[in-house]
Amino acid sequence: MAEFVPEALSALQKKITAMLSPDTPEATASEYFTDLQMVSGLVMITWPKARSTAPGVDARRTDLVLASRQDPSHSLHVSTPPQDARACASILLAADAILSAADLRTALAPLAPVENRTRSGIDPKRHRSWDSTFRRYQDDCSERFRNAAEYLVSTHRRHGRGGSRLPHRGLDYGPQHVPAFLPLEWAEAHLGAFIAAFSMPVLRRTTSAFLVRRALGKSTADAAEFLGLGIAGNGLGTRITSWARRQGTPEAYERALDAIAAELTSAPLIDYRHRRESLADWTLPPDSWHQIAARLERRRSPRYVSDDRARLAVTAYIWTRVTHGETQFAPCPPEARHTPEHEAAWSRVRYDIGHWLKQNKQPYYQQMKPLLDAYADQLIHVIDTERSGRQLARSLAK
């Protein structure tokens, strides 16, 4: 044992002895040893990634021992410690060093499956074996380890082998509380590291989908469908996480999601799904549009849109205000669904008017915008406070 660092081994031995003493609460000791077992399994799967956390040990011997475990016959026993005492000591030292890190999630980041499965070429069977062990013992792990592993080892939390992803534990929000288009101020505050590589709309849309996936489970495609994005969702966010890995910060996007989730839960939670469902077939009533139009001073302009096309187009603008969605995902009003020509005309005009309203530079639409915003605020109050479906239907029709 002369090749090992006596201080490191001695410290670990004293720690284990202390955990087994009557002075240590049984739950604390049990959680520590379960955590140690789980992290040791990840260390063995991903070795030599964790070698640097156990400096001075017989790394070469550990390399040889763990290399032999790559044989398929060992693939279902990845959490079983090797019989070689020196290799076992290396693994335990590395695992304990990771568990002792002040920032456990960052320490676990190099062992995350998103790294292993896409870059290391490790046999997926070995991950499934760890997955099985994690599912069996996750309730016996410490809350600290569960919280850290939840995000970085989240692909292991599934309904059975090959099943869908499970929701994260202990969230203070539900999927219905996530706006389909992340507020711009949150994106600017927490996604600055990604803006140089990705457009702001992509970041805002993708981040909302990832927040929903945390609460809903399943896949990003399911999250996109839940948000009504009207896109398949396949690969949604893959470019962002891949880019973060190439920068050497695979956990960066998850940390940004943490900060945005904190923003979400620090404010009153809003049921955006209920708002979307309430407005799925709603159109701004003609009487309401006439009252708004009557207050506008009409000026000749190539940007002026008359007749009922404007009413249907501003319906989409009001929808985006109420639901915090994007114009491109606004539902087509029933009046425009009859023919493809009508739907195409509505789609074109909604983008034009939505752009002029958001630009807020044309006098005619400068007059219109505060009136539509005030109407949207009234609609929000109705949707969020009305309890009777019949009352809600009457209120939205006014």
Side-chain angles (χ1 to χ4, degrees):
M1 300 291 289
E3 297 176 73
F4 287 86
V5 177
E7 294 81 4
L9 287 175
S10 177
L12 179 58
Q13 184 176 22
K14 290 179 180 178
K15 183 175 185 177
I16 292 174
T17 302
M19 285 289 176
L20 296 173
S21 73
D23 296 331
T24 300
E26 182 179 346
T28 300
S30 176
E31 290 175 354
Y32 169 74
F33 288 118
T34 306
D35 292 353
L36 191 66
Q37 177 189 11
M38 298 310 306
V39 178
S40 295
L42 286 176
V43 167
M44 286 186 281
I45 290 173
T46 60
W47 190 271
K49 284 179 178 284
R51 181 195 289 175
S52 61
T53 61
V57 299
D58 190 350
R60 291 184 180 180
R61 189 178 188 89
T62 308
D63 292 343
L64 293 174
V65 171
L66 293 182
S68 68
R69 293 167 66 92
Q70 297 294 331
D71 185 281
S73 63
H74 294 285
S75 62
L76 300 182
H77 306 284
V78 294
S79 296
T80 303
Q83 294 182 351
D84 187 280
R86 297 181 180 181
C88 188
S90 299
I91 294 164
L92 291 176
L93 282 171
D96 181 73
I98 291 170
L99 285 172
S100 301
D103 189 337
L104 182 55
R105 285 180 57 188
T106 297
L108 282 171
L111 314 184
V114 71
E115 285 289 295
N116 305 334
R117 291 181 178 176
T118 59
R119 301 179 71 181
S120 70
I122 295 172
D123 188 338
K125 288 183 179 180
R126 298 172 66 79
H127 291 285
R128 288 197 291 267
S129 176
W130 191 95
D131 185 11
S132 177
T133 304
F134 182 64
R135 285 200 306 271
R136 187 180 308 123
Y137 296 112
Q138 60 182 322
D139 291 336
D140 297 324
C141 294
S142 67
E143 182 178 3
R144 179 173 180 260
F145 177 73
R146 287 199 305 267
N147 290 340
E150 188 122 65
Y151 301 103
L152 294 168
V153 195
S154 57
T155 52
H156 292 136
R157 298 200 64 245
R158 294 178 179 274
H159 289 288
R161 180 173 175 176
S164 60
R165 186 188 303 270
L166 293 169
H168 285 174
R169 304 168 183 267
L171 294 179
D172 294 326
Y173 69 89
Q176 72 275 17
H177 299 130
V178 180
F181 202 40
L182 193 75
L184 179 60
E185 59 270 24
W186 294 357
E188 290 178 338
H190 304 293
L191 298 174
F194 303 92
I195 290 175
F198 303 95
S199 71
M200 185 59 79
V202 168
L203 287 172
R204 294 170 69 184
R205 187 184 310 134
T206 300
T207 300
S208 287
F210 268 65
L211 290 172
V212 166
R213 192 182 71 171
R214 283 188 173 188
L216 183 67
K218 302 184 179 180
S219 67
T220 49
D222 294 310
E225 180 181 358
F226 182 91
L227 290 170
L229 296 183
I231 54 180
N234 295 327
L236 190 65
T238 301
R239 289 188 300 141
I240 296 176
T241 53
S242 297
W243 182 85
R245 289 199 303 272
R246 290 196 299 271
Q247 305 306 306
T249 55
E251 76 283 4
Y253 189 57
E254 291 292 344
R255 290 210 174 275
L257 288 172
D258 289 345
I260 294 169
E263 297 265 20
L264 176 65
T265 55
S266 65
L269 294 176
I270 297 169
D271 191 338
Y272 289 104
R273 187 185 194 188
H274 177 57
R275 291 185 182 182
R276 291 193 297 271
E277 291 174 342
S278 298
L279 297 184
D281 291 312
W282 175 84
T283 307
L284 178 65
D287 290 347
S288 299
W289 168 242
H290 293 153
Q291 291 174 13
I292 292 172
R295 299 176 60 182
L296 303 176
E297 180 184 350
R298 298 190 178 185
R299 301 180 180 181
R300 288 190 176 185
S301 169
R303 295 175 176 81
Y304 172 71
V305 178
S306 60
D307 64 46
D308 215 39
R309 293 185 304 156
R311 177 178 69 89
L312 299 184
V314 299
T315 293
Y317 173 78
I318 293 172
W319 180 90
T320 62
R321 286 271 304 174
V322 174
T323 66
H324 282 237
E326 297 178 75
T327 302
Q328 70 186 91
F329 301 121
C332 181
E335 296 94 319
R337 296 176 189 169
H338 302 305
T339 63
E341 293 79 9
H342 289 164
E343 185 170 352
W346 164 79
S347 182
R348 182 177 63 256
V349 176
R350 66 168 170 163
Y351 276 116
D352 292 342
I353 289 184
H355 171 72
W356 296 328
L357 287 167
K358 293 174 183 177
Q359 192 180 43
N360 202 27
K361 292 182 179 179
Q362 298 299 322
Y364 181 70
Y365 293 101
Q366 282 180 324
Q367 299 174 61
M368 186 188 295
K369 187 177 186 302
L371 301 178
L372 296 179
D373 290 347
Y375 189 94
D377 290 340
Q378 293 176 353
L379 202 54
I380 287 172
H381 177 75
V382 170
I383 294 173
D384 289 352
T385 59
E386 292 282 4
R387 292 293 177 265
S388 166
R390 185 172 300 174
Q391 288 178 331
L392 177 61
R394 286 202 303 267
S395 298
L396 294 179
K398 292 179 181 178

